[in-house]
Amino acid sequence: MSEEKDKMEKVTELHIEGMTCKSCVKKIQNQMTQEPGILDVQIFLEEKEAKITYSPTETSPPILAEKISDLGYPSKVKLVHPVRGDNCQDAIIDVGGMTCQSCVKSIESKISEINGVLGITVSLEKNQAYVQFNPGKISAMKIAESIDDMGFEASVHSITRDKGLTTRIGVEGMTCQSCVHTIESAMITKPGVREIKVSLNDKEAHVVYDPTLTNPGTLREQIEDMGFEASLAKESSVESEFDRLASRQSSTRSICGEKVCQISVIGMTCHSCVKNIETNISPKTGIKSISVSLEEEMATVTYNPMIIDPNAIAGMIDDMGFEATVKDSDTEPDFVTMVIGVQGMTCHSCVKTIEDHISKNPAVRSIKVSLGDQNASIEYYPNRATPTTLKDAIDDMGFPASLPTDQIDVKVVQPTKNGPTKQKTPHQENVKVDMDKGSVSFRKVGNDVDDDLEKCFLRVTGMTCASCVATIEKNLLKVEGIHSCLVALMAQKAEVKYDPAYLLPSQIATKISNLGFEATVLENEGFGQGVVELLITGMTCSSCVHMIESSILKKPGVLSASVALSTCKGKFTYNPEVTGPRAIIEAIKSLGYEAELYADSDKDAARYDHRDDIKRWRTSFLWSLIFGLPSVAVMMYFMFAKPPADEHSSFTNSSSENVTTTYKPHVSSSDHYQIMVYPGLSLENLIMFILATPVQFIGGRYFYIQAFKAVRHGAANMDVLVVLATTISYVYSCIVVIVAMVMQEKISPVTFFETTPMLMVFISLGRWLEHVAKGKTSEALAKLMSLQASEAVLVEIDKEFNILKEETISTDLVQRGDILKVVPGEKIPVDAKIIEGNSTCDESLITGESMPVSKKPGATVIGGSINQNGMILIEATHVGADTTLSQIVKLVEEAQTSKAPIQQLADKIAGYFVPGVVILSSLTVIAWTIVGYVDVSKVDDDFVDDGIVSKEEVIFQKAFQYAITVLSIACPCALGLATPTAVMVGTGVGASNGILIKGGEPLECSHKLKCIVFDKTGTVTHGVPRVARVAMFVENSVCSFVKLIAIAGTAETSSEHPLASAVVKYAKQTLKTEALGKTQDYQAVPGCGLKCTVSQIDGLLNDIDLEGINNRKNLMGSTRVKTDNVLFDGEEISATIEESSSLGAVASRPYKVLIGNREWMTRNGLIVTDKMDETMTEHEHQGQTAILCAIDDVIVSMLAVADTVKSEAHLAISTLKDMGLQVVLLTGDNQKTARAIAKQIGIQKVFAEVLPSHKVKKIKQLQKQGIKVAMVGDGVNDSPALAQADVGIAIGTGTDVAVEAADVVLIKNDLLDVAAAIQLSKKTVRRIRINFFAASIYNLIGIPIAAGIFVPFGLSLKPWMASAAMAMSSVSVVLSSLLLKTFKKPNKDKMLTQKYYAKFAADQELDNISVHRGVESLPSSREGSKQGSIISRLSGRKKPNMPDHVSLLEMGENSDSDSSEHM
């Protein structure tokens, strides 16, 4: 009995984290030895491992790992094997002749009784038996013979050692323990499954399996077949442990590169063997990758030589039943990096698909795919693959891939001790070659991004001018680890790229704070993650913190949790697809604590409207005014007051008393009236000193602090100039008065005490007005922010949409999928989809659409828009930062952070401006001092040598006056504000009109545009098929227009083809009904058409609004639809009262309907006349699909369906031409279709049959001609071309405003917005230049005047006058930028003039269109366009290889069958 028990013993190896000392080891051992089924426990502290011997009938490795985890030590299963591994083998025996489960049970029960057999599992499907046996007691051959003796045919397939592995499989859909039992009982019977433990709470299954019989993918599929959703964990416990072991061993030894070995594998018979080897060898310790070739009978393995060797790998394969020998090993693989262009990616799912698939290729070392750059950077081994094979591999996945156009010689570069080197090929201007770490990579110049760098955003306050920006950028770039820094003055934001190995964002914020500015880190969360900050009350100690964090982390969708006891705050990161803030708050409340959102609702608004700065400077102004007004009054009084006429005696002094008398000063004192209170001290100077002192040291404290911090870091800004001007004037005045008092002067010297209070008054007034104006510049952004609703009404509904319960919650608590109620007049809380109710919404502030937009169930609504009419129920689709409004705000913010090239020049000037002004001021003092000593009359015409005022006093007084005036008048603020204020107003105005411009560079580049390139499908056309013409072939008495539309629309309702949906949509819109007739006996023949019987349209025809039909029949959305009767030479048809009444009596009868092409009509015995054929051919030549409709065996009509041109397309193109721009059409469609479209919209130059990948080439060709090119597309399949163009314009994006490749995003699908965007850009750039010119002229003229150069002409300034001029200069620049708010988008009605109509008619008559096929200088493609028209794409078939390259829409008789497959 004891011996049999030993046979069943097994050992599992567990990896344990968190052990720190022997006490931890003892704790685990003591606890685990008490668990049932545990026979022995060995804990290894150093290795963080445990070996546990256990009885598999009483417990399992997943349970053991869970028990240790419950003790506070996270544990994972590594490996499972029998105790006596040396005396235990596995055998796979092929068994033939089994017919049912009874045979299976018979073999299992009989063989399990044989001595030495430890276990057996028989698979009826695979006709195999898996046997675990002791080779010392029995052999596999003996077991096979025993099965033979039972009447079955048995033979040994393979013999292996026991290699039990463990995997974790996520299981969704379990509701109770019954589900758990179902999975466990079913899976344990599966071949290769040793043990299984399913956890209902964790929604996971831990499976111990035999890798020779099954694998994790098969196990997942088996669980899914049971009706549950199963997914493999991101990394199995074994893989995680292998990674940990590999990293631990490589970190404790010298770093060694990967090596490659080739192993010959004999015995493989099919691809199942290949997959079996790859699946089971790849997760082994030290194995990086493995690729097995069935044809060559060879396995290529990349491995870590510090962990495993080739012989051991061959042994593993040998143990699986194959003959494996090492052929070639220990080769150090060289690798190179190649960038491959990848088109067709639309989202991050495409990126992940490519990376996952290509990374499995053994020739690929690593791959990084960029959605924005539309390329893949691949590190590969050149001895195993070529760039072409890698390109083809990506091509095979459905993504068009291309190698760099210009071939560059690539050499394998090994790492050098001197570090990375960089080279640039002379013939590849736009490609940078980086040689680093044994790789060569190609990147576009200017887009050299280091993958190791991270980006953070910081809010920076306290900046006043461009000098502040230059100071921050210059000092941050000196910090080790910071690679680039971009500071935006207006947006009060800094964008820093840094190396996280050197410093953290918080340290960067500290660096900025040390410079004298307030800096806080803005959260930069991961892609697709949400963050919520909560205020949590009721916590008493650290155990409360631990309880909350550990409990919340167990909740589905919660990625991280951080709770601070001291501040009672918690920060949680979550997946918004799974959970949301409301669920987290409820979970915390269920633990016994109170939680609520922690948010400063005014924080964002304050940032945009500058309210804090306005309040501070208003207070500063009023404080300065208290002292400034008395200073002005005193100065004016003593300047203009006259002394009493009878007082002319001079000051006398006796020992008994002081007698103060007035003394009429000498002429050189400018008749300045003085009342002396002490020898050398006048009453005026005393009062001014008293008024100036508190302003100098209390009011000017802010300037002193900022100036000190700036100077300490070797920088100079506007504050330095202010401090220098006030300090010099104050100190100079004090010194000359003290000297006069010491020398007992008869008069008091001229001072500049008034400079301090008056300079502070004007500076604070200027800053106050400046921030008020700045608030106005970001008014559009603040207005967008204010659109966000603060509350939402959450409801619970039943299947009939009856409201069962409703609750008002904060908008921040709304989660995806919530049902919300919105009553008339309320704001839509978040982006959502209407599920019940009809209404209209005002979206004017978001899209610029002035008219209310009709909404019905299924329609999307934008958060922030206003519900106008009915009550609606909506289902939230995008919440938080994912809403359209948040994306717009973020995009506009980033635009205002970026800098136009002219702004970079201004910032550069500002960096040298302040030091330059200080130097000029010093030179002014020196120059005037020299001039005074040479000829004092140049300084003061009225100076008299023997006068009361000395020569030195006059010279120094004037020299310092001019020097202080230079410091006071110089204003770098005007230069610094010239560009960002205009950019902010321009982008804000654009956002209000549905035009999102991404920063200053697209703004500045747009005014230089010479060529506009339009994509066709979805840009100048609607991108969906619409009815373009209804041509009748019979009189009204046979079939009326109304009758035709009702019958054709009803017949097409049974088809799901887009062409059919166009007919149905036109019928419902024209008849204004959602319900049509009934269809019976429906039959569709692919390539021909449809046949059916239509009935029950009598009610539809009796209740029609004839006048309404006549108004609607010629419009399909914004498209004109031609309705005519061919019999009467194209006469316009209309619905009449007579035809309606005549229809009523017969409408209830059934109609036999045929809809399809010519062949379909002929096949059904109907004749297509020449007139009908001519009408159809006319539309087919225009790239349209023509279909015939027959009712009761009479062909009554032709319907032309096409991807129609937008109604405003010609007007928009005409407007662009009037602006002097060249307009080009770029399309993948055939030449005839492209010509027809170009003629309709008035474009003379067309490039047709251009593949999507070649659109970029065409843009480059235009750019090589030295012209600036804009590309207009829908952002779907033309992203590479948008990115290549100087200005990429994505149109009609709607709620998807984050088109990465575009520089300008137009929310509305209106081509006139293209012209509006360019006009706005031109106006903004013009305003920037005006501001820049005005600011430059102000300083160029103001400083010389202040320096006294124009004194000979009688023009000079006092310091307080200069300070007033300085303050007004910056205010005037901001006010100038605000004039951009007068911009209005072009009005379509005003543009439709007689002159335009004449031009439109002329364009339709002229045939001067130049059509080019493909892209010049490119070889012609023998395959048809991959893009084509919308109709071509809908047909689902490639164009044939014909010389003429005609599309399906141009193939005459043949095209009809293709285009009518839906019928």
Side-chain angles (χ1 to χ4, degrees):
M1 189 70 183
S2 174
E3 183 180 351
E4 289 301 319
K5 182 179 179 182
D6 289 342
K7 293 177 187 176
M8 298 303 295
E9 293 175 7
K10 287 195 174 186
V11 172
T12 181
E13 296 179 13
L14 305 178
H15 170 64
I16 304 175
E17 292 286 351
M19 296 188 297
T20 57
C21 59
K22 291 289 185 182
S23 176
C24 301
V25 172
K26 191 173 182 181
K27 178 181 178 182
I28 298 173
Q29 284 180 329
N30 292 340
Q31 187 67 32
M32 293 304 295
T33 50
Q34 299 175 13
E35 296 292 331
I38 302 296
L39 305 176
D40 182 50
V41 179
Q42 294 179 348
I43 309 292
F44 305 97
L45 178 62
E46 297 278 333
E47 289 78 12
K48 297 182 180 178
E49 292 175 357
K51 284 189 178 180
I52 301 179
T53 307
Y54 67 98
S55 170
T57 59
E58 298 181 64
T59 187
S60 67
I63 294 177
L64 300 177
E66 191 174 343
K67 295 288 185 184
I68 296 176
S69 296
D70 291 343
L71 295 174
Y73 305 95
S75 177
K76 293 181 181 179
V77 180
K78 270 182 59 183
L79 208 60
V80 181
H81 53 79
V83 173
R84 286 183 275 187
D86 294 336
N87 298 320
C88 178
Q89 288 187 347
D90 294 335
I92 300 175
I93 299 176
D94 294 326
V95 182
M98 297 187 293
T99 57
C100 59
Q101 288 295 330
S102 176
C103 300
V104 171
K105 292 188 180 297
S106 176
I107 295 173
E108 288 180 341
S109 59
K110 181 73 174 176
I111 300 301
S112 61
E113 295 174 356
I114 298 175
N115 185 25
V117 174
L118 305 178
I120 181 171
T121 301
V122 180
S123 171
L124 179 63
E125 293 79 13
K126 294 185 177 181
N127 287 320
Q128 285 182 337
Y130 163 72
V131 187
Q132 186 182 16
F133 65 97
N134 186 338
K137 296 185 177 182
I138 194 170
S139 67
M141 292 296 296
K142 288 285 186 184
I143 299 172
E145 290 173 3
S146 299
I147 298 175
D148 257 332
D149 294 341
M150 296 176 65
F152 303 97
E153 297 178 7
S155 61
V156 178
H157 182 276
S158 63
I159 302 174
T160 66
R161 291 286 303 274
D162 189 331
K163 300 289 180 182
L165 296 180
T166 301
T167 186
R168 286 187 300 121
I169 302 176
V171 184
E172 295 288 343
M174 298 185 294
T175 56
C176 59
Q177 288 297 330
S178 176
C179 302
V180 171
H181 178 71
T182 300
I183 297 173
E184 290 180 340
S185 58
M187 290 300 295
I188 197 65
T189 62
K190 301 294 182 182
V193 177
R194 304 284 182 81
E195 299 172 27
I196 181 171
K197 174 67 176 177
V198 180
S199 171
L200 179 62
N201 292 333
D202 297 335
K203 297 183 179 179
E204 281 185 345
H206 291 260
V207 187
V208 180
Y209 67 97
D210 179 4
T212 62
L213 294 178
T214 188
N215 57 64
T218 303
L219 297 173
R220 176 183 61 80
E221 291 171 1
Q222 289 170 345
I223 295 176
E224 284 185 338
D225 292 341
M226 298 169 63
F228 301 94
E229 294 181 14
S231 60
L232 292 175
K234 291 184 179 178
E235 58 174 19
S236 70
S237 58
V238 176
E239 292 168 335
S240 175
E241 178 61 17
F242 287 160
D243 290 342
R244 187 189 68 79
L245 284 171
S247 63
R248 184 184 70 190
Q249 294 189 26
S250 62
S251 65
T252 56
R253 297 180 174 93
S254 60
I255 302 299
C256 182
E258 298 170 5
K259 292 191 177 182
V260 177
C261 68
Q262 291 187 322
I263 299 174
S264 172
V265 183
I266 307 298
M268 297 185 293
T269 57
C270 61
H271 282 284
S272 176
C273 301
V274 172
K275 186 178 180 183
N276 195 14
I277 295 172
E278 290 180 339
T279 303
N280 291 291
I281 298 300
S282 59
K284 300 298 183 182
T285 309
I287 303 294
K288 297 298 182 181
S289 66
I290 179 172
S291 175
V292 180
S293 171
L294 178 63
E295 293 76 19
E296 298 176 4
E297 296 189 326
M298 192 73 67
T300 303
V301 187
T302 306
Y303 65 99
N304 188 336
M306 298 300 298
I307 300 175
I308 197 169
D309 61 79
N311 290 323
I313 301 171
M316 294 176 186
I317 300 175
D318 222 14
D319 290 342
M320 295 178 65
F322 305 97
E323 295 179 17
T325 55
V326 178
K327 289 292 184 183
D328 183 22
S329 66
D330 295 339
T331 58
E332 181 77 30
D334 300 329
F335 63 88
V336 298
T337 299
M338 190 68 183
V339 177
I340 297 177
V342 183
Q343 310 297 328
M345 298 185 293
T346 57
C347 61
H348 284 279
S349 177
C350 302
V351 171
K352 191 173 187 303
T353 300
I354 296 173
E355 289 181 341
D356 290 348
H357 183 76
I358 300 300
S359 62
K360 294 176 182 176
N361 190 320
V364 175
R365 185 174 185 268
S366 69
I367 178 171
K368 180 70 174 178
V369 180
S370 170
L371 179 63
D373 296 336
Q374 292 281 299
N375 63 26
S377 177
I378 304 178
E379 290 182 349
Y380 69 98
Y381 301 105
N383 60 339
R384 294 184 229 166
T386 65
T388 304
T389 58
L390 296 175
K391 177 188 79 68
D392 293 341
I394 299 176
D395 259 329
D396 293 341
M397 296 177 66
F399 300 94
S402 60
L403 295 171
T405 309
D406 299 326
Q407 294 301 319
I408 298 175
D409 294 332
V410 180
K411 295 182 179 179
V412 180
V413 180
Q414 292 297 333
T416 63
K417 295 181 180 180
N418 298 327
T421 62
K422 294 187 179 181
Q423 299 177 1
K424 186 176 181 181
T425 55
H427 60 283
Q428 186 76 7
E429 297 178 335
N430 59 342
V431 175
K432 178 177 286 187
V433 184
D434 291 346
M435 300 183 183
D436 191 6
K437 299 178 182 176
S439 69
V440 181
S441 64
F442 302 86
R443 291 171 179 160
K444 188 175 178 181
V445 173
N447 293 334
D448 191 4
V449 180
D450 193 329
D451 294 335
D452 294 334
L453 300 183
E454 292 185 7
K455 184 190 292 184
C456 69
F457 294 91
L458 301 101
R459 175 71 49 210
V460 183
T461 56
M463 297 184 292
T464 56
C465 61
S467 294
C468 304
V469 173
T471 299
I472 296 173
E473 291 181 343
K474 183 179 71 175
N475 282 280
L476 283 186
L477 289 174
K478 293 178 182 177
V479 178
E480 187 176 10
I482 293 181
H483 287 250
S484 69
C485 176
L486 179 66
V487 180
L489 174 65
M490 294 299 295
Q492 301 181 57
K493 198 173 181 182
E495 177 186 312
V496 182
K497 284 183 181 176
Y498 67 98
D499 189 339
Y502 286 89
L503 73 173
L504 299 172
S506 57
Q507 293 173 306
I508 299 173
T510 304
K511 298 283 184 186
I512 297 176
S513 298
N514 292 338
L515 295 173
F517 307 94
E518 294 181 14
T520 53
V521 180
L522 297 175
E523 296 300 336
N524 187 23
E525 304 303 338
F527 176 79
Q529 297 179 1
V531 176
V532 64
E533 197 169 354
L534 304 177
L535 189 64
I536 305 172
T537 56
M539 297 185 293
T540 56
C541 61
S542 57
S543 63
C544 300
V545 172
H546 177 71
M547 179 185 291
I548 294 173
E549 289 180 344
S550 57
S551 300
I552 299 301
L553 279 173
K554 292 180 181 178
K555 299 295 179 184
V558 178
L559 306 177
S560 69
S562 176
V563 179
L565 179 64
S566 56
T567 58
C568 295
K569 291 180 190 174
K571 185 177 179 182
F572 304 90
T573 307
Y574 60 92
N575 182 353
E577 295 276 359
V578 181
T579 188
R582 197 170 69 253
I584 296 173
I585 289 175
E586 290 171 357
I588 294 174
K589 287 183 176 179
S590 67
L591 296 173
Y593 305 95
E594 289 297 321
E596 61 185 22
L597 281 174
Y598 177 81
D600 185 356
S601 58
D602 286 341
K603 192 192 302 180
D604 286 336
R607 190 171 83 235
Y608 296 126
D609 58 23
H610 296 261
R611 66 180 66 166
D612 294 334
D613 291 320
I614 291 171
K615 182 180 178 181
R616 184 176 69 189
W617 288 110
R618 184 178 64 235
T619 303
S620 177
F621 168 68
L622 295 175
W623 170 261
S624 302
L625 202 62
I626 295 173
F627 298 94
L629 282 179
S631 298
V632 174
V634 170
M635 183 179 65
M636 292 298 180
Y637 174 77
F638 287 102
M639 186 180 294
F640 298 107
K642 298 295 181 182
D646 59 340
E647 296 185 4
H648 297 283
S649 58
S650 61
F651 173 78
T652 60
N653 186 14
S654 66
S655 59
S656 60
E657 62 177 352
N658 291 335
V659 180
T660 302
T661 62
T662 59
Y663 171 79
K664 186 170 178 60
H666 197 268
V667 178
S668 63
S669 68
S670 303
D671 291 329
H672 205 86
Y673 176 40
Q674 289 188 340
I675 300 175
M676 305 301 294
V677 294
Y678 188 84
L681 176 63
S682 65
L683 180 61
E684 176 192 4
N685 281 338
L686 179 60
I687 295 173
M688 295 298 278
F689 170 78
I690 294 171
L691 292 172
T693 302
V695 177
Q696 182 72 38
F697 298 106
I698 299 176
R701 185 182 74 254
Y702 167 80
F703 293 99
Y704 274 102
I705 294 171
Q706 297 299 106
F708 172 73
K709 290 180 178 179
V711 173
R712 189 178 64 181
H713 291 89
N717 55 18
M718 185 66 199
D719 297 321
V720 173
L721 291 181
V722 172
V723 167
L724 283 173
T726 56
T727 304
I728 291 172
S729 61
Y730 182 82
V731 172
Y732 169 82
S733 301
C734 289
I735 291 173
V736 295
V737 170
I738 292 171
V739 170
M741 291 171 65
V742 171
M743 298 178 66
Q744 300 285 306
E745 296 283 352
K746 296 181 178 180
I747 63 169
S748 188
V750 177
T751 59
F752 304 113
F753 282 122
E754 78 281 356
T755 300
T756 297
M758 295 187 70
L759 189 65
M760 292 298 180
V761 166
F762 288 121
I763 285 178
S764 54
L765 174 62
R767 293 274 176 94
W768 178 26
L769 295 177
E770 181 186 316
H771 282 289
V772 170
K774 280 182 182 177
K776 296 292 183 184
T777 63
S778 46
E779 191 176 57
L781 206 52
K783 190 178 289 184
L784 282 172
M785 287 296 296
S786 68
L787 292 177
Q788 179 66 58
S790 58
E791 292 182 337
V793 179
L794 179 68
V795 297
E796 291 182 11
I797 57 174
D798 57 19
K799 293 182 179 179
E800 285 75 34
F801 299 107
N802 296 316
I803 297 176
L804 306 176
K805 178 185 175 184
E806 65 179 62
E807 174 189 3
T808 301
I809 62 172
S810 169
T811 308
D812 295 327
L813 295 178
V814 175
Q815 297 175 190
R816 195 172 298 175
D818 282 349
I819 307 300
L820 308 173
K821 182 179 84 170
V822 185
V823 298
E826 281 192 356
K827 293 177 182 175
I828 307 291
V830 294
D831 290 2
K833 179 177 66 177
I834 296 180
I835 60 173
E836 178 68 6
N838 293 275
S839 182
T840 57
C841 290
D842 179 5
E843 300 177 348
S844 57
L845 284 173
I846 300 171
T847 65
E849 177 62 62
S850 57
M851 296 297 292
V853 182
S854 177
K855 300 291 183 181
K856 59 184 180 181
T860 57
V861 288
I862 303 175
S865 58
I866 300 173
N867 179 29
Q868 292 190 326
N869 294 339
M871 189 273 284
I872 54 176
L873 294 179
I874 60 176
E875 179 182 349
T877 55
H878 296 87
V879 299
D882 296 330
T883 63
T884 301
L885 190 58
S886 297
Q887 288 185 59
I888 291 175
V889 170
K890 181 183 177 185
L891 195 146
V892 175
E893 260 197 319
E894 289 176 351
Q896 294 170 353
T897 304
S898 67
K899 294 180 180 180
I902 195 172
Q903 171 65 19
Q904 294 168 359
L905 174 64
D907 289 350
K908 201 168 186 178
I909 293 172
Y912 298 102
F913 186 87
V914 175
V917 169
V918 174
I919 293 171
L920 282 175
S921 180
S922 303
L923 291 175
T924 301
V925 171
I926 297 169
W928 278 107
T929 303
I930 295 172
V931 169
Y933 277 105
V934 172
D935 185 358
V936 72
S937 62
K938 298 288 187 182
V939 176
D940 190 346
D941 293 339
D942 300 327
F943 177 76
V944 179
D945 285 334
D946 57 351
I948 300 174
V949 181
S950 66
K951 177 181 177 180
E952 288 74 15
E953 183 180 338
V954 170
I955 292 172
F956 284 107
Q957 181 256 318
K958 287 294 183 182
F960 275 94
Q961 174 187 323
Y962 295 136
I964 294 168
T965 307
V966 168
L967 292 173
S968 300
I969 202 169
C971 183
C973 291
L975 277 173
L977 294 171
T979 302
T981 52
V983 170
M984 180 164 274
V985 178
T987 52
V989 169
S992 300
N993 287 279
I995 303 169
L996 305 180
I997 303 172
K998 296 184 178 179
E1001 192 166 352
L1003 266 175
E1004 191 167 339
C1005 194
S1006 294
H1007 85 285
K1008 301 176 184 176
L1009 291 174
K1010 297 297 180 185
C1011 179
I1012 311 291
V1013 178
F1014 281 90
D1015 183 36
K1016 181 182 78 72
T1017 305
T1019 304
V1020 296
T1021 64
H1022 289 96
V1024 292
R1026 300 188 179 201
V1027 174
R1029 182 183 179 186
V1030 180
M1032 301 293 295
F1033 298 137
V1034 297
E1035 297 182 355
N1036 277 354
S1037 58
V1038 178
C1039 180
S1040 68
F1041 170 78
V1042 177
K1043 180 179 177 181
L1044 165 72
I1045 294 303
I1047 293 174
T1050 302
E1052 294 281 26
T1053 52
S1054 298
S1055 175
E1056 296 181 355
H1057 198 281
L1059 297 182
S1061 66
V1063 177
V1064 174
K1065 187 174 182 180
Y1066 175 71
K1068 289 183 176 181
Q1069 180 178 302
T1070 303
L1071 301 175
K1072 205 172 184 180
T1073 179
E1074 289 297 321
L1076 296 172
K1078 182 180 178 182
T1079 303
Q1080 294 176 314
D1081 303 327
Y1082 178 85
Q1083 179 187 359
V1085 178
C1088 291
L1090 66 83
K1091 178 192 294 185
C1092 67
T1093 302
V1094 173
S1095 60
Q1096 296 184 11
I1097 62 169
D1098 49 344
L1100 186 66
L1101 297 176
N1102 283 330
D1103 299 332
I1104 57 176
D1105 173 16
L1106 295 177
E1107 183 179 353
I1109 290 177
N1110 284 323
N1111 292 334
R1112 293 187 296 270
K1113 67 184 176 65
N1114 295 113
L1115 284 176
M1116 183 65 177
S1118 61
T1119 308
R1120 295 288 301 174
V1121 180
K1122 184 179 180 181
T1123 56
D1124 61 345
N1125 195 313
V1126 177
L1127 292 179
F1128 303 105
D1129 296 325
E1131 179 183 329
E1132 183 72 18
I1133 56 177
S1134 61
T1136 62
I1137 297 295
E1138 288 76 21
E1139 73 174 66
S1140 177
S1141 60
S1142 66
L1143 284 169
V1146 295
S1148 59
R1149 72 179 181 84
Y1151 298 91
K1152 181 184 175 184
V1153 182
L1154 293 169
I1155 299 179
N1157 55 23
R1158 299 175 180 86
E1159 182 186 346
W1160 184 238
M1161 297 299 157
T1162 305
R1163 193 183 296 182
N1164 285 276
L1166 302 181
I1167 298 174
V1168 180
T1169 66
D1170 292 341
K1171 192 70 174 177
M1172 296 175 185
D1173 185 72
E1174 182 184 334
T1175 306
M1176 295 178 72
T1177 303
E1178 175 190 346
H1179 288 277
E1180 289 165 353
H1181 283 171
Q1182 296 178 18
Q1184 301 176 357
T1185 301
I1187 54 177
L1188 295 171
C1189 179
I1191 300 176
D1192 292 337
D1193 296 328
V1194 177
I1195 301 176
V1196 298
S1197 172
M1198 179 215 70
L1199 287 86
V1201 181
D1203 181 13
T1204 52
V1205 171
K1206 294 177 181 176
S1207 61
E1208 77 281 0
H1210 187 278
L1211 179 59
I1213 303 300
S1214 176
T1215 304
L1216 292 171
K1217 286 182 177 178
D1218 292 341
M1219 294 166 64
L1221 299 169
Q1222 177 188 357
V1223 184
V1224 176
L1225 183 66
L1226 198 62
T1227 175
D1229 218 333
N1230 61 79
Q1231 296 181 56
K1232 290 185 179 179
T1233 303
R1235 179 185 291 274
I1237 295 294
K1239 185 175 182 179
Q1240 292 180 56
I1241 60 179
I1243 292 180
Q1244 277 73 48
K1245 194 168 186 179
V1246 180
F1247 291 89
E1249 300 182 20
V1250 181
L1251 300 178
S1253 57
H1254 290 170
K1255 289 182 180 180
V1256 174
K1257 179 73 173 178
K1258 184 65 232 172
I1259 299 294
K1260 286 181 179 178
Q1261 287 180 1
L1262 292 170
Q1263 289 171 330
K1264 285 179 181 177
Q1265 298 173 14
I1267 60 176
K1268 296 290 184 181
V1269 181
M1271 173 72 188
V1272 184
D1274 55 8
V1276 178
N1277 61 354
D1278 43 26
S1279 292
L1282 289 176
Q1284 176 62 40
D1286 296 288
V1287 178
I1289 303 176
I1291 185 171
T1293 59
T1295 56
D1296 181 20
V1297 300
V1299 181
E1300 292 184 25
D1303 300 302
V1304 179
V1305 178
L1306 307 178
I1307 297 176
K1308 286 175 60 184
N1309 200 350
D1310 188 347
L1311 286 170
L1312 287 173
D1313 281 353
V1314 176
I1318 295 174
Q1319 289 175 1
L1320 176 60
S1321 298
K1322 287 180 179 291
K1323 284 184 177 291
T1324 305
V1325 172
R1326 190 182 304 121
R1327 184 56 53 186
I1328 289 173
R1329 289 178 171 175
I1330 290 172
N1331 290 350
F1332 201 77
F1333 179 77
S1336 301
I1337 291 298
Y1338 163 80
N1339 282 294
L1340 289 174
I1341 294 177
I1343 292 177
I1345 293 175
I1349 292 176
F1350 295 96
V1351 166
F1353 305 101
L1355 183 60
S1356 64
L1357 293 174
K1358 297 280 189 182
W1360 65 270
M1361 297 177 186
S1363 62
M1366 180 270 294
M1368 289 304 104
S1369 66
S1370 56
V1371 175
S1372 62
V1373 166
V1374 180
L1375 292 176
S1376 170
S1377 297
L1378 286 174
L1379 292 175
L1380 280 172
K1381 298 185 79 172
T1382 60
F1383 171 81
K1384 299 292 182 186
K1385 278 205 305 185
N1387 188 295
K1388 184 177 180 180
D1389 295 333
K1390 292 181 180 179
M1391 296 168 72
L1392 295 173
T1393 60
Q1394 291 300 322
K1395 183 180 178 181
Y1396 165 73
Y1397 285 120
K1399 186 176 181 181
F1400 176 77
D1403 283 342
Q1404 302 309 305
E1405 294 295 329
L1406 292 174
D1407 192 15
N1408 59 344
I1409 300 170
S1410 170
V1411 180
H1412 305 265
R1413 178 181 168 192
V1415 181
E1416 296 167 2
S1417 77
L1418 280 180
S1420 299
S1421 173
R1422 292 189 55 83
E1423 186 180 339
S1425 166
K1426 292 184 180 179
Q1427 181 185 15
S1429 68
I1430 185 70
I1431 307 300
S1432 304
R1433 295 206 301 266
L1434 292 173
S1435 68
R1437 295 175 61 181
K1438 289 186 177 179
K1439 300 176 185 176
N1441 294 330
M1442 297 175 64
D1444 191 30
H1445 265 267
V1446 292
S1447 74
L1448 292 173
L1449 304 176
E1450 303 182 71
M1451 292 170 59
E1453 296 285 335
N1454 296 331
S1455 71
D1456 297 341
S1457 63
D1458 292 332
S1459 60
S1460 303
E1461 284 180 8
H1462 72 292
M1463 303 302 179

